[in-house]
Amino acid sequence: MKPGITILLFVVTLGLGVTATRVMGQDINVAVSLDRDTIGLDEQALLQVEVSGTEQNLPEPQMPTLSMFEIYSQGRSSNISIVNGQMSSSVTYRFILLPTKPGTFPIDRIAIVHKNRRYKGNKVELTVLDQGIATPPELSESAQGEDGQSRDYFMEAVVDNKNPYVNQQITLTLKFYIAVQYYGSPELTEPTTTGFWSELLGNKAPYYQTINGRNYRIIERKYALFPTQTGELTIGRAAITTTVAAKTRRYRDPFDVFGDVFGRGEDVTIRSQPVRIKVKPLPTENRPTDFTGTIGDFSMSASANKAQVEVSQPVTVTIKIRGTGNIKSVAEPVIPELPDFRVYRASSNENITKFNDRIGGTKTYEEVFIPNRPGELEIPSLSFNFFNPKTDRYQQLSTAPIKLAVVKPEGWVASSDVPYAGPSVTIGSDARDIVYIKKDIGDVQPRGRIIFASPLYLVVNGIPVLALLGMVLVRKRREKMAGDVGYARARAAARAAKKRLAKARSIARTETTTEFFAEVYSALVSYIADKLNISPHGLTTDRVKVLLENKSVDEPIIEQLTNLMQKCDFARYASSSLSQDDIDEALASAEKVMVTLEGVRFET
Amino acid sequence: MRLRTYTLCALTLFLLASSALPAEAPEEFLVANRFYEEKDFASAIRLYESVLNQGLESSALYFNLGNAYFKNGDLGYAVLYYMKARRLSPDDADIRQNLRFARQYSRVQMEGVQLNPINTFFSSIVDSYRLSFMAWVSSLLFVLLMLILIVRFGVGMNNSAIRAGIILVLLLVVVTSGLTTFKYRRDYLARRAVIVSEESPVLTGPSPQSDVELEGAPGLIVEILDQTGDYYHVLFENKRRGWINRDLVAVI
């Protein structure tokens, strides 16, 4: 998106926010920078002016008159960013400076004016050297071909130190110079670095330099190399393959633009010279006995995560060694045998930085100290040593001792029988898995059986209901008998009559017939009296007949009864002897009559 | 005559009681446990199910079967059998734990579960008791009520203690049998099901042409409200409704 559209979009979308920032932030900053501070007279410098602030419409800088340079604008680029709701924008203006005379020139009057305020840029200085002085003589030589002509392209491999100590960093710089048009991006074959631990530092943005009057484009790549052995080592050749314009065209027509674009390309491979390095061993003089081979320049610190701790609770001590040098080779500080602590290595990590072409960084060791006893304990000073090539000396670093107040936990016993194992672990309440299967099948029952349908349940609940009903009925009957004499007599009549008849039967075997019939007669009379709830005295046959007729008893029953009573009456007074058949017949008919009467309801 | 009646009663009671005694654990159960220990869950499932096919059930059997299905990666059936186990032994903390553990792995979790506060209250009372336990408690109270009624109306004893006793026990019988009925209705009469199929669209109507109301997932528990053809009309725990093919769910 074009900057203009971006700005417009923000003006539209931010609306109110814009006015707010207008009121609040009036910070406008003007930063002036040069890509180099020294150039040759036939070179050029890039001047950048960056105007930044919270405004969108930043004004253009006013350039002062710089009489010693020709100034060409290289355009501008803008950038808007919003951080935490705060908007900031910046516009960078680029200018090419071509020097017109040697000397040192300050550039300090670049400024912008905004809302009647003037914002000044910082001061920079550019030194312009006479032609030739900017180029070192070796480089001029390299640029010179064997035939005395200047080369179109060449490559240099340079190290900053050809006689390092083992494991000391040297920086290898590959520079590819090219003064002619080339197509595509050049392909690099890395140099062989056998005997070194190599770390790429990176590429520098291409820049231009004039050597022997020709302007070369320079592509630069840097490596950090750490020799891992002593003696003679060789950094191999690096090679670049690229396609350049064909060399046959000695005359270049300035109007033949397409001749270059579509021109006949030529593949060329440019090699650098191998570089010999002589690696010297570390001095044996004053070498500490516990030296582990670390080279560089380091500092060390140690800190504990707490100052007070319970016995058997862990304290983490973090040891940091930072500086420049091969950080990977930094060895763990030696921790002496400590009677008051158990020590565990928790972790170590390294953070490698490449600052100013130097490899360095921080190595962090975490050690866990577990105190064995309460009291004021001390984690002693820890030391670490290294060889510093800058001073050619061995150096030893020590940390300050760390004081720890170790307190007794509840129930702590000072005994060797109490084995306190490592740091305690906290177990949360969340399960990690399902509960394990059950070994015992438990109560097995037929599938789908429901308690309400089980016979036992029905019986257990049914019996009391039946018992209650039974008991209530029994009681009802008893109560009726107790309250109603007639009912009770009527209910008891048949039983009483049967008793009498049984008595009559026994009489018949022993006594006279008279007594037998008297008994049958009185049984019948008593029965009727009970049934009708009247007195048995003075009940004659005729009276019984009348009473029964009043009760609307059926005629044949009454007749049957009266016949029997008359028969008994007669037998009582006739006093004739009776055969067994007569007796049986009388008893049978008496029972029959009573059975019949029992089925009759007397209306009371 | 009297003696014979009593003997008969006692014999009947004994036979009834003995029919309620637990049967012996089948051999398959123990073998299935061994398969489970050896992490051969598929074989364990087959054997546990063979015990079920003998017409037997127990909460431990359902629990182990749920575990085996869970370990075998079949969440729907795991939840189904945990639910069955819980119905038989609602007081078993292991079953509740595993049911909760398994259900949290369901791809779909129901949000905004609306609970009827009255149901929730009753559920909280009856949840941890077995149905048979509750049935026997109500039954015991009922028998006690009958005995007091016999004393009052059969024997005819009548004083304030008896009258108070009748009212108290009557209230208890009403409460316990009410709760028992509630539990029975909820656990046995209300038909519930668990989604067991991986692909289980819940539709807006009982036909394959209906739109998808929501995408179900194994382990979701639904209540079956109705049935039309091959489709169940189901109610989810958060009161969402829809129709789901019968083959995609298993009835608890």
Side-chain angles (χ1 to χ4, degrees):
Chain A
M1 196 184 281
K2 281 180 187 165
I5 298 173
T6 319
I7 292 168
L8 187 73
L9 196 80
F10 276 107
V11 171
V12 174
T13 51
L14 291 179
L16 285 171
V18 171
T19 35
T21 48
R22 278 233 174 100
V23 176
M24 282 159 51
Q26 290 292 342
D27 321 306
I28 291 179
N29 191 35
V30 183
V32 182
S33 61
L34 281 167
D35 64 335
R36 291 182 277 172
D37 53 6
T38 307
I39 57 170
L41 191 55
D42 51 2
E43 292 179 288
Q44 59 190 34
L46 178 68
L47 176 75
Q48 296 200 69
V49 181
E50 186 189 356
V51 182
S52 57
T54 50
E55 298 264 332
Q56 283 92 52
N57 297 315
L58 295 166
E60 260 189 66
Q62 300 171 337
M63 293 299 289
T65 324
L66 297 168
S67 57
M68 59 303 268
F69 298 106
E70 288 174 32
I71 304 180
Y72 300 100
S73 173
Q74 280 279 85
R76 50 179 259 180
S77 63
S78 61
N79 179 34
I80 292 180
S81 62
I82 298 177
V83 177
N84 294 338
Q86 181 73 37
M87 187 177 70
S88 62
S89 64
S90 70
V91 185
T92 305
Y93 299 88
R94 284 187 302 278
F95 302 95
I96 294 284
L97 302 183
L98 293 177
T100 54
K101 57 180 178 181
T104 299
F105 309 108
I107 302 168
D108 60 348
R109 290 177 18 235
I110 299 173
I112 63 164
V113 174
H114 182 64
K115 297 210 173 142
N116 300 324
R117 271 199 65 187
R118 196 155 182 279
Y119 300 92
K120 252 182 81 183
N122 55 307
K123 177 182 170 183
V124 291
E125 258 186 5
L126 181 60
T127 305
V128 182
L129 301 171
D130 270 336
Q131 186 190 3
I133 293 175
T135 314
E138 318 90 73
L139 198 55
S140 299
E141 250 171 61
S142 304
Q144 199 90 27
E146 281 141 18
D147 54 354
Q149 295 281 338
S150 75
R151 292 175 193 254
D152 286 344
Y153 36 77
F154 60 96
M155 183 153 59
E156 292 258 286
V158 187
V159 293
D160 63 341
N161 183 359
K162 287 193 170 182
N163 193 13
Y165 286 107
V166 66
N167 212 8
Q168 179 191 354
Q169 183 190 340
I170 58 173
T171 308
L172 168 70
T173 310
L174 288 181
K175 285 185 179 179
F176 174 55
Y177 296 77
I178 185 156
V180 294
Q181 181 98 33
Y182 63 95
Y183 311 118
S185 52
E187 257 176 53
L188 173 75
T189 309
E190 307 267 1
T192 53
T193 52
T194 315
F196 296 92
W197 171 60
S198 167
E199 181 84 23
L200 179 67
L201 293 169
N203 290 344
K204 199 173 168 185
Y207 60 94
Y208 293 91
Q209 192 176 358
T210 307
I211 303 162
N212 297 346
R214 283 192 79 178
N215 200 22
Y216 286 91
R217 180 180 169 90
I218 302 162
I219 300 167
E220 203 176 296
R221 186 172 171 89
K222 284 185 172 178
Y223 303 84
L225 300 178
F226 293 86
T228 54
Q229 62 199 74
T230 56
E232 292 263 352
L233 291 175
T234 304
I235 302 169
R237 293 163 179 271
I240 274 188
T241 309
T242 187
T243 309
V244 299
K247 217 179 174 184
T248 48
R249 291 170 65 241
R250 301 208 66 90
Y251 169 72
R252 294 173 72 183
D253 181 356
F255 301 103
D256 185 8
V257 182
F258 302 105
D260 272 356
V261 176
F262 303 109
R264 298 158 296 277
E266 186 183 2
D267 283 347
V268 289
T269 301
I270 306 110
R271 288 195 173 79
S272 67
Q273 293 299 314
V275 185
R276 279 179 225 296
I277 307 287
K278 191 162 187 207
V279 184
K280 53 189 176 186
L282 292 174
T284 46
E285 196 189 333
N286 297 329
R287 183 189 290 183
T289 48
D290 54 354
F291 180 69
T292 55
T294 311
I295 293 186
D297 191 0
F298 298 97
S299 64
M300 175 159 86
S301 69
S303 63
N305 65 340
K306 41 192 146 175
Q308 184 174 338
V309 71
E310 285 189 352
V311 171
S312 295
Q313 291 298 307
V315 178
T316 305
V317 175
T318 307
I319 301 158
K320 281 189 172 168
I321 298 168
R322 58 165 72 85
T324 54
N326 186 355
I327 203 78
K328 284 186 178 172
S329 71
V330 170
E332 186 179 5
V334 179
I335 299 168
E337 197 69 25
L338 299 171
D340 292 340
F341 295 97
R342 274 175 300 128
V343 184
Y344 300 96
R345 155 87 66 78
S347 71
S348 75
N349 65 71
E350 53 205 20
N351 177 25
I352 295 179
T353 58
K354 298 164 185 173
F355 181 70
N356 244 348
D357 293 343
R358 310 306 297 179
I359 292 280
T362 311
K363 186 136 189 172
T364 310
Y365 288 101
E366 288 196 338
E367 317 277 352
V368 173
F369 287 75
I370 299 170
N372 291 332
R373 63 171 182 88
E376 291 291 323
L377 302 186
E378 191 182 87
I379 294 170
S381 167
L382 302 173
S383 64
F384 160 74
N385 54 45
F386 62 93
F387 179 76
N388 191 338
K390 271 187 203 157
T391 58
D392 277 346
R393 287 227 174 97
Y394 290 98
Q395 261 177 266
Q396 165 136 355
L397 297 177
S398 296
T399 61
I402 298 169
K403 288 200 186 308
L404 262 188
V406 182
V407 296
K408 268 192 233 179
E410 215 165 302
W412 187 77
V413 188
S415 156
S416 56
D417 297 339
V418 182
Y420 277 90
S424 70
V425 178
T426 312
I427 305 287
S429 58
D430 287 340
R432 284 187 53 216
D433 197 1
I434 50 174
V435 178
Y436 200 64
I437 52 166
K438 294 180 189 294
K439 296 284 174 202
D440 187 7
I441 197 167
D443 295 346
V444 185
Q445 60 181 44
R447 272 177 75 186
R449 200 183 69 179
I450 289 178
I451 177 79
F452 305 121
S454 116
L456 179 66
Y457 190 79
L458 293 177
V459 168
V460 166
N461 284 284
I463 284 175
V465 178
L466 295 179
L468 176 68
L469 286 176
M471 292 288 279
V472 168
L473 285 180
V474 166
R475 184 153 168 272
K476 284 270 176 219
R477 215 174 75 180
R478 254 189 223 148
E479 267 170 10
K480 190 159 189 185
M481 284 184 190
D484 182 354
V485 182
Y487 175 77
R489 279 184 74 183
R491 300 277 310 173
R495 227 181 300 145
K498 268 185 186 154
K499 261 187 189 168
R500 285 236 158 126
L501 289 178
K503 193 184 171 189
R505 196 189 298 273
S506 64
I507 286 169
R509 289 194 199 104
T510 54
E511 307 289 329
T512 58
T513 51
T514 318
E515 276 161 17
F516 168 73
F517 280 106
E519 200 58 47
V520 172
Y521 183 84
S522 80
L524 286 172
V525 169
S526 299
Y527 176 73
I528 298 296
D530 281 347
K531 274 287 200 193
L532 300 177
N533 196 19
I534 52 173
S535 170
H537 301 293
L539 259 189
T540 60
T541 310
D542 294 342
R543 177 104 183 104
V544 166
K545 192 179 177 182
V546 171
L547 282 170
L548 288 181
E549 275 168 359
N550 284 350
K551 293 283 179 192
S552 334
V553 176
D554 291 343
E555 202 64 38
I557 299 172
I558 297 171
E559 203 172 324
Q560 214 176 356
L561 179 65
T562 48
N563 284 349
L564 185 60
M565 286 175 81
Q566 275 168 357
K567 196 175 177 183
C568 288
D569 242 359
F570 175 76
R572 268 163 80 187
Y573 302 111
S575 74
S576 60
S577 63
L578 280 171
S579 67
Q580 190 61 36
D581 288 349
D582 292 337
I583 292 169
D584 286 345
E585 195 201 329
L587 284 172
S589 59
E591 271 167 15
K592 194 181 165 196
V593 165
M594 279 193 283
V595 165
T596 318
L597 276 173
E598 199 60 14
V600 173
R601 279 188 64 86
F602 294 97
E603 281 160 31
T604 45
Chain B
M1 170 77 190
R2 275 274 158 89
L3 191 68
R4 243 174 69 196
T5 316
Y6 288 144
T7 318
L8 206 69
C9 281
L11 197 70
T12 314
L13 277 177
F14 173 76
L15 285 174
L16 289 171
S18 62
S19 74
L21 283 178
E24 206 166 306
E27 180 71 14
E28 287 93 329
F29 179 78
L30 303 172
V31 178
N33 281 0
R34 265 207 301 284
F35 273 122
Y36 185 95
E37 279 160 22
E38 287 159 14
K39 297 192 191 301
D40 183 356
F41 302 115
S43 303
I45 289 170
R46 234 180 8 255
L47 278 168
Y48 286 134
E49 283 184 341
S50 77
V51 180
L52 283 182
N53 292 336
Q54 293 170 26
L56 298 174
E57 65 177 2
S58 93
S59 69
L61 178 62
Y62 284 136
F63 176 80
N64 289 5
L65 194 47
N67 272 9
Y69 268 118
F70 183 78
K71 289 285 184 187
N72 209 31
D74 202 335
L75 192 63
Y77 282 103
V79 170
L80 173 78
Y81 285 111
Y82 287 144
M83 292 292 285
K84 283 180 185 251
R86 196 180 68 166
R87 186 162 64 186
L88 290 181
S89 288
D91 49 344
D92 190 322
D94 291 348
I95 297 170
R96 281 207 300 272
Q97 155 76 25
N98 280 9
L99 181 59
R100 195 177 58 230
F101 191 86
R103 287 190 69 186
Q104 73 189 1
Y105 284 92
S106 180
R107 272 206 319 277
V108 174
Q109 300 287 330
M110 282 293 161
E111 202 188 43
V113 175
Q114 305 163 4
L115 295 170
N116 177 345
I118 298 171
N119 263 352
T120 313
F121 173 70
F122 285 130
S123 294
S124 69
I125 299 175
V126 302
D127 259 351
S128 53
Y129 300 110
R130 293 175 189 219
L131 180 68
S132 57
F133 172 77
M134 296 184 63
W136 279 121
V137 168
S138 356
S139 167
L140 190 79
L141 286 165
F142 178 73
V143 171
L144 184 64
L145 180 69
M146 288 299 129
L147 286 178
I148 302 179
L149 287 178
I150 286 171
V151 169
R152 167 70 184 82
F153 295 107
V155 178
M157 201 181 281
N158 188 3
N159 58 39
S160 55
I162 297 272
R163 284 195 297 272
I166 286 172
I167 290 169
L168 182 72
V169 178
L170 181 67
L171 277 177
L172 286 175
V173 167
V174 168
V175 169
T176 51
S177 52
L179 287 175
T180 309
T181 311
F182 171 77
K183 188 179 178 68
Y184 176 65
R185 285 181 61 93
R186 198 195 57 174
D187 287 1
Y188 291 87
L189 291 190
R191 289 178 76 202
R192 292 200 289 175
V194 178
I195 294 181
V196 292
S197 169
E198 278 297 321
E199 292 282 319
S200 44
V202 178
L203 308 177
T204 53
S207 80
Q209 283 79 39
S210 303
D211 291 333
V212 175
E213 165 82 18
L214 55 98
E215 278 294 341
L220 284 180
I221 298 167
V222 294
E223 188 178 330
I224 300 170
L225 302 174
D226 197 6
Q227 183 178 348
T228 304
D230 285 340
Y231 285 84
Y232 283 137
H233 189 199
V234 294
L235 176 68
F236 285 88
E237 284 175 300
N238 65 350
K239 304 300 175 206
R240 281 287 287 273
R241 284 159 193 259
W243 298 85
I244 190 165
N245 193 298
R246 282 163 53 187
D247 298 337
L248 306 181
V249 300
V251 176
I252 296 169

